[in-house]
Amino acid sequence: MVYLISENSVGITLTLEFIRMTQDHQVLWTPNPDNVQNSHMCKFMRSINQIYSLNLIDYSAMQQWSIQYPSDFWKQVACYCNLHWRTPPTTIVEPRKALWETQWFPGAQLNMAENLLGKPSDAIAIVSCNERGEKHHFSFAELHNHV
């Protein structure tokens, strides 16, 4: 198993949150409310609320807003994730008749490794754990040396 446990320059900490349900739809587990409030999803929703003077209160409301205002939504995703463009996009979205033909961030160029790794540092980027339970820690600086 590999878990990303610390933030990088993209500003994303990988968090797996599961709500498991039985066949009769009984909830088996829900995340701690503090964890939900501190999740990047909620932080992102609060930033949208602040920037656009909205009052989105849950995922469904944010999803609906993203459908109504896709350019604003995806602009804020790129901003929240702190994407570093080699060449910035000419616009955020160029809608087409068919969704699969839509152009997202046309003209943009970015380096995925640069955006995912961020700046070299001694901060832990990855913790891997093998079948024997042995853990290995890798810093962002170590990852940079391998790219």
Side-chain angles (χ1 to χ4, degrees):
M1 283 188 273
V2 177
Y3 300 95
L4 178 67
I5 62 166
S6 62
E7 291 193 23
N8 59 23
S9 69
V10 179
I12 296 175
T13 301
L14 193 64
T15 304
L16 302 177
E17 295 177 353
F18 295 101
I19 298 177
R20 302 213 180 223
M21 301 182 92
T22 62
Q23 287 183 348
D24 60 353
H25 302 288
Q26 288 182 312
V27 175
L28 297 178
W29 177 85
T30 57
N32 175 310
D34 289 337
N35 289 344
V36 172
Q37 287 304 309
N38 291 319
S39 71
H40 280 284
M41 183 66 71
C42 283
K43 289 177 184 177
F44 177 62
M45 186 167 50
R46 285 192 296 270
S47 74
I48 289 174
N49 283 340
Q50 183 178 13
I51 292 165
Y52 294 96
S53 300
L54 299 171
N55 189 28
L56 305 174
I57 59 169
D58 59 20
Y59 177 84
S60 295
M62 186 169 63
Q63 180 190 29
Q64 189 59 44
W65 183 79
S66 75
I67 293 166
Q68 289 179 292
Y69 304 98
S71 289
D72 292 333
F73 176 79
W74 288 105
K75 177 182 178 182
Q76 293 312 315
V77 167
C79 195
Y80 184 84
C81 291
N82 197 23
L83 291 181
H84 299 282
W85 306 104
R86 291 277 170 111
T87 305
T90 54
T91 188
I92 304 302
V93 61
E94 289 180 357
R96 300 286 195 268
K97 214 173 205 181
L99 180 61
W100 60 87
E101 294 173 349
T102 297
Q103 297 291 305
W104 302 95
F105 302 103
Q109 293 182 346
L110 57 81
N111 180 313
M112 283 300 276
E114 176 185 344
N115 276 277
L116 291 173
L117 293 178
K119 294 184 174 140
S121 75
D122 291 331
I124 299 297
I126 296 174
V127 174
S128 70
C129 183
N130 66 22
E131 290 80 9
R132 293 185 300 268
E134 299 167 334
K135 290 184 180 178
H136 299 280
H137 296 79
F138 300 91
S139 71
F140 285 104
E142 289 173 305
L143 294 177
H144 268 271
N145 290 335
H146 291 288
V147 175

